[in-house]
Amino acid sequence: EPEVTQTPSHQVTQMGQEVILRCVPISNHLYFYWYRQILGQKVEFLVSFYNNEISEKSEIFDDQFSVERPDGSNFTLKIRSTKLEDSAMYFCASRGRGLNTGELFFGEGSRLTVL
Amino acid sequence: GESVGLHLPTLSVQEGDNSIINCAYSNSASDYFIWYKQESGKGPQFIIDIRSNMDKRQGQRVTVLLNKTVKHLSLQIAATQPGDSAVYFCAENLYNFNKFYFGSGTKLNVKP
């Protein structure tokens, strides 16, 4: 069964460092998302991406964040200068072409710990 | 922004019983809702969805009920099994599928 894969599963970084989280969405999907979940809290929307551009972003997704689909298969989230409050589980998700469902397929997440 | 919240943070049920997980949403314009299940250490997994033009939708062992009058959503799980133990989130969407707002989550504990 096709699945969304994310790397790394866990990254520890120092405050102020740049981090890149990688995702390989399901191959025939067209819509891509990043969500995050601070430990014990709800899942929060960060950004959606379609046709090589951002469709929508939340207030969390400030200038420190960027997304890219560099090669047609990977979808990356970059945090330029990490802060302590960026510590969270980051989930990538993708959605297929169908217009009748909003079903998102999530990866297993990348845990980011900022020290 | 929209607010989606859950009434009960933790629900414990006996194996074989039916479970009901509730969710309240604040944006009456939301037109699409999803229930997700999140097992420990994993990403959310789609369970069932419902559009605002429906009151009820059934899947395998699960039923979602939507009451637009009071902006309330519920997930019913029939004959709850140990494998159903997880955190359940409702999520709402407005107009397109670009952004979903998730609720706080309810943890379901199934006792053998």
Side-chain angles (χ1 to χ4, degrees):
Chain A
E1 183 175 323
E3 60 181 14
V4 176
T5 58
Q6 291 186 239
T7 55
S9 57
H10 188 193
Q11 180 155 358
V12 180
T13 190
Q14 295 291 323
M15 188 169 56
Q17 295 297 304
E18 175 182 285
V19 162
I20 298 176
L21 305 179
R22 292 181 168 81
C23 170
V24 179
I26 294 173
S27 62
N28 63 348
H29 282 188
L30 300 177
Y31 304 87
F32 313 111
Y33 308 79
W34 283 100
Y35 283 79
R36 79 173 186 188
Q37 186 178 31
I38 295 171
L39 186 63
Q41 299 187 22
K42 63 183 178 182
V43 177
E44 300 177 290
F45 169 77
L46 291 177
V47 66
S48 57
F49 191 87
Y50 169 73
N51 198 26
N52 286 319
E53 60 183 32
I54 291 174
S55 305
E56 199 156 350
K57 60 183 180 180
S58 72
E59 57 274 11
I60 301 170
F61 195 88
D62 60 20
D63 291 344
Q64 294 299 312
F65 290 85
S66 63
V67 289
E68 192 177 31
R69 188 156 161 82
D71 56 12
S73 63
N74 290 284
F75 180 51
T76 62
L77 175 69
K78 181 192 290 186
I79 309 174
R80 288 189 183 81
S81 179
T82 50
K83 303 186 287 289
L84 295 176
E85 53 265 38
D86 293 329
S87 294
M89 182 73 89
Y90 288 80
F91 291 106
C92 173
S94 68
R95 182 169 69 88
R97 180 188 297 271
L99 299 179
N100 293 324
T101 175
E103 179 179 357
L104 304 184
F105 292 79
F106 284 85
E108 296 208 336
S110 293
R111 179 169 298 283
L112 176 64
T113 301
V114 182
L115 302 177
Chain B
E2 289 83 350
S3 173
V4 181
L6 296 172
H7 295 308
L8 298 174
T10 305
L11 177 65
S12 293
V13 299
Q14 206 69 38
E15 181 179 358
D17 287 351
N18 297 333
S19 302
I20 299 177
I21 301 171
N22 296 304
C23 174
Y25 64 94
S26 61
N27 190 340
S28 57
S30 291
D31 57 4
Y32 182 78
F33 306 87
I34 292 183
W35 279 101
Y36 280 96
K37 172 186 180 183
Q38 186 178 28
E39 297 175 271
S40 181
K42 295 190 175 182
Q45 180 184 10
F46 173 91
I47 301 174
I48 192 168
D49 59 358
I50 189 168
R51 291 190 173 276
S52 59
N53 61 353
M54 302 173 69
D55 297 322
K56 179 180 179 179
R57 190 154 190 241
Q58 287 185 291
Q60 187 176 14
R61 277 201 310 119
V62 294
T63 301
V64 55
L65 299 177
L66 176 62
N67 186 331
K68 294 180 288 294
T69 303
V70 294
K71 290 181 286 187
H72 185 266
L73 196 67
S74 69
L75 177 70
Q76 300 178 358
I77 304 174
T80 315
Q81 302 168 359
D84 294 329
S85 293
V87 177
Y88 289 80
F89 294 94
C90 61
E92 65 175 315
N93 179 258
L94 180 64
Y95 301 136
N96 56 40
F97 301 128
N98 286 338
K99 177 166 61 176
F100 283 87
Y101 292 96
F102 279 72
S104 303
T106 291
K107 184 175 182 180
L108 177 64
N109 290 323
V110 182
K111 297 176 286 186

